[in-house]
Amino acid sequence: MPNLTPGRIRHTVVFTPHHAPGSTEEADFLAAGAALAAIPGVEAFEVLREVSPKNGYRFGFSMEFADQAAYTAYNEHPDHVAFVQGRWIPEVADFLEIDYVAHDRD
Amino acid sequence: MPNLTPGRIRHTVVFTPHHAPGSTEEADFLAAGAALAAIPGVEAFEVLREVSPKNGYRFGFSMEFADQAAYTAYNEHPDHVAFVQGRWIPEVADFLEIDYVAHDRD
């Protein structure tokens, strides 16, 4: 993972589904999330397992956008909106969005 | 950012220093944190600015380790211990550690 290029945005969300750990429902939810990688502008998409004992979250998605316009287009894309409404809201118990850009050492 | 190789660990911490935004003290703290990159086993070290309006954190550090042994050695390294005791605890107001590994799609 090289340093983020200035202007790029790394959008991440760490979360815990309502589903039982290891369940078919959980796997299906993660697969539905992974399909977000196909939305135009999404780069470096990762499905991650959260393993720190210092928080209660279980998974993460991470992706990068070339710029704010690409991030905005993703947020507004019908496939993203449908995922949020149809899967994320009903199936996720807890989450935190964290977005990073390069630190410019001002 | 390619997908994490199985076995690798991405250790991240999102945080807010006590210091005034843009202050010399804040810059000095970030520089001290950046020096953690020199500890053996630390790879892909990044100093990041947190920009999501959905949380109150202001910065992040991200780094990767080849395996748990490298992560443990970092945690126990005297330079890391000294940073935590001498800088992190007195200078950080709020933080959350998030550690990721590749999701193996079990």
Side-chain angles (χ1 to χ4, degrees):
Chain A
M1 183 162 67
N3 242 318
L4 271 179
T5 306
R8 287 184 74 81
I9 300 161
R10 184 179 301 143
H11 169 53
T12 75
V13 59
V14 62
F15 62 94
T16 302
H18 283 294
H19 308 300
S23 63
T24 302
E25 291 78 7
E26 180 185 82
D28 186 70
F29 176 78
L30 295 172
L36 296 171
I39 294 176
V42 174
E43 301 176 38
F45 190 93
E46 295 177 312
V47 179
L48 300 159
R49 188 181 296 277
E50 205 294 317
V51 296
S52 173
K54 299 179 183 176
N55 73 67
Y57 298 110
R58 299 194 59 241
F59 296 100
F61 295 144
S62 179
M63 64 200 80
E64 293 183 14
F65 298 100
D67 51 32
Q68 183 61 49
Y71 188 4
T72 300
Y74 163 82
N75 270 331
E76 297 174 353
H77 192 283
D79 291 352
H80 177 253
V81 173
F83 175 78
V84 170
Q85 295 298 322
R87 305 298 304 259
W88 189 267
I89 292 173
E91 296 183 50
V92 170
D94 193 18
F95 71 98
L96 179 67
E97 292 182 75
I98 296 172
D99 291 350
Y100 286 126
V101 298
H103 173 53
D104 52 10
R105 299 167 193 276
D106 53 6
Chain B
M1 181 163 69
N3 242 319
L4 271 178
T5 307
R8 287 184 73 81
I9 300 162
R10 183 178 303 143
H11 168 54
T12 76
V13 59
V14 63
F15 62 94
T16 301
H18 283 293
H19 308 299
S23 64
T24 302
E25 292 78 7
E26 180 185 81
D28 185 71
F29 176 79
L30 295 172
L36 296 171
I39 294 176
V42 174
E43 300 176 38
F45 190 92
E46 295 178 311
V47 179
L48 300 160
R49 188 180 296 276
E50 205 293 318
V51 296
S52 173
K54 299 180 183 177
N55 72 68
Y57 298 111
R58 299 193 58 243
F59 296 100
F61 295 143
S62 179
M63 64 198 82
E64 294 183 12
F65 298 100
D67 52 33
Q68 183 60 49
Y71 188 3
T72 301
Y74 163 81
N75 270 331
E76 298 174 351
H77 191 283
D79 290 353
H80 177 253
V81 173
F83 175 78
V84 170
Q85 295 298 321
R87 305 298 304 259
W88 188 267
I89 292 173
E91 297 182 52
V92 171
D94 194 18
F95 70 98
L96 179 66
E97 292 180 75
I98 297 173
D99 291 349
Y100 287 126
V101 298
H103 173 53
D104 53 10
R105 301 168 192 274
D106 53 6

